[in-house]
Amino acid sequence: MEKENKIIITLLATLIVMVISWFGLRLYSGNLIIKAGAAQNEYKDAQKAYQKKVSKLSEDVYSLGTKIKDSKVKAVSLQNSSNKILELRANEFFKGYYNFNNVNEYMGRSDLLAPLITDEIKNNESLFDKKNSAGEKTVQALGLQSNFQSVSTSIESVNNDEIKGLVDVKYKAGYKGDTKGLGLRTYEVVYNKKQAKFTQIDLQATGIQNDAY
């Protein structure tokens, strides 16, 4: 029975990766669809379908884990499935957050990432600069750019609704035309599985060679 449970969890985890990857491409290509002149409804429909699918799969995996009777297998399965969900969603968010080549892309991040976060986070000025802010003017004046590299995650706590953990983000930042320095930032995040959104994203530490912004 334990072997069968492990197989089922592995299959569901694999399914999550496949579905999130497919819908993720739709989501992040949405802004290109709009720029190409296609209807915004197509982009919004892709966002809704993506959020619904991720939320359902997250609940299925967690629900399956809670039904395992062996306490050791149960604990490991819940930890692994929760970390996989957090890793996938954190990768998606921070890939959009740390990839920008000009001030328009920099300022457009809050709208691009809106499906992944609550309105409170979207309006958090410590994460997203407002129009005519010092951050916007600095990025525009200096030609600052950033390239996402990778994320790594660790779980702090898990319950029926939320996953709380730490996310280490690696990125490269610098000025247009110059060599970019490698940076590392650590965030504490809370991901709500039912909403399929981050409800908390707080910077905890910064360790970089070139803190350009």
Side-chain angles (χ1 to χ4, degrees), residues 93-94 97 116-118 121 124 126-128 187-190 198-204:
F93 174 82
F94 287 108
Y97 188 81
L116 303 174
I117 55 179
T118 60
I121 293 179
N124 186 341
S126 67
L127 289 171
F128 299 104
Y187 294 83
E188 183 175 61
V189 304
V190 174
F198 286 103
T199 58
Q200 175 187 324
I201 301 176
D202 294 330
L203 180 63
Q204 299 295 307

Side-chain angles (χ1 to χ4, degrees), residues 160-196:
N160 290 336
D161 297 326
E162 296 179 333
I163 303 171
K164 183 177 182 179
L166 294 175
V167 182
D168 291 328
V169 185
K170 290 183 179 181
Y171 63 97
K172 289 185 176 181
Y175 308 114
K176 184 177 181 180
D178 290 343
T179 301
K180 295 178 175 60
L182 180 63
L184 172 65
R185 286 180 177 175
T186 300
Y187 294 83
E188 183 175 61
V189 304
V190 174
Y191 178 73
N192 188 292
K193 291 177 286 186
K194 293 186 177 180
Q195 295 182 49

Side-chain angles (χ1 to χ4, degrees), residues 91-198:
N91 186 79
E92 185 177 1
F93 174 82
F94 287 108
K95 183 176 182 180
Y97 188 81
Y98 279 102
N99 268 335
F100 59 86
N101 294 308
N102 53 57
V103 68
N104 290 332
E105 292 180 0
Y106 177 79
M107 296 301 295
R109 296 175 304 161
S110 60
D111 289 331
L112 178 66
L113 297 169
L116 303 174
I117 55 179
T118 60
D119 289 340
E120 182 179 357
I121 293 179
K122 183 181 178 182
N123 295 319
N124 186 341
E125 294 185 28
S126 67
L127 289 171
F128 299 104
D129 286 317
K130 298 299 183 181
K131 189 70 176 176
N132 297 319
S133 64
E136 178 188 21
K137 293 176 181 178
T138 299
V139 171
Q140 185 171 24
L142 299 179
L144 296 180
Q145 298 178 328
S146 179
N147 300 119
F148 171 81
Q149 300 297 302
S150 65
V151 298
S152 60
T153 58
S154 59
I155 299 295
E156 292 184 309
S157 62
V158 179
N159 59 38
N160 290 336
D161 297 326
E162 296 179 333
I163 303 171
K164 183 177 182 179
L166 294 175
V167 182
D168 291 328
V169 185
K170 290 183 179 181
Y171 63 97
K172 289 185 176 181
Y175 308 114
K176 184 177 181 180
D178 290 343
T179 301
K180 295 178 175 60
L182 180 63
L184 172 65
R185 286 180 177 175
T186 300
Y187 294 83
E188 183 175 61
V189 304
V190 174
Y191 178 73
N192 188 292
K193 291 177 286 186
K194 293 186 177 180
Q195 295 182 49
K197 292 188 176 192
F198 286 103

Side-chain angles (χ1 to χ4, degrees), residues 45-62:
D45 288 344
Q47 290 178 328
K48 291 178 181 178
Y50 172 72
Q51 294 298 104
K52 184 177 181 181
K53 185 67 66 174
V54 170
S55 180
K56 179 64 167 59
L57 287 171
S58 298
E59 291 178 6
D60 287 346
V61 171
Y62 187 85

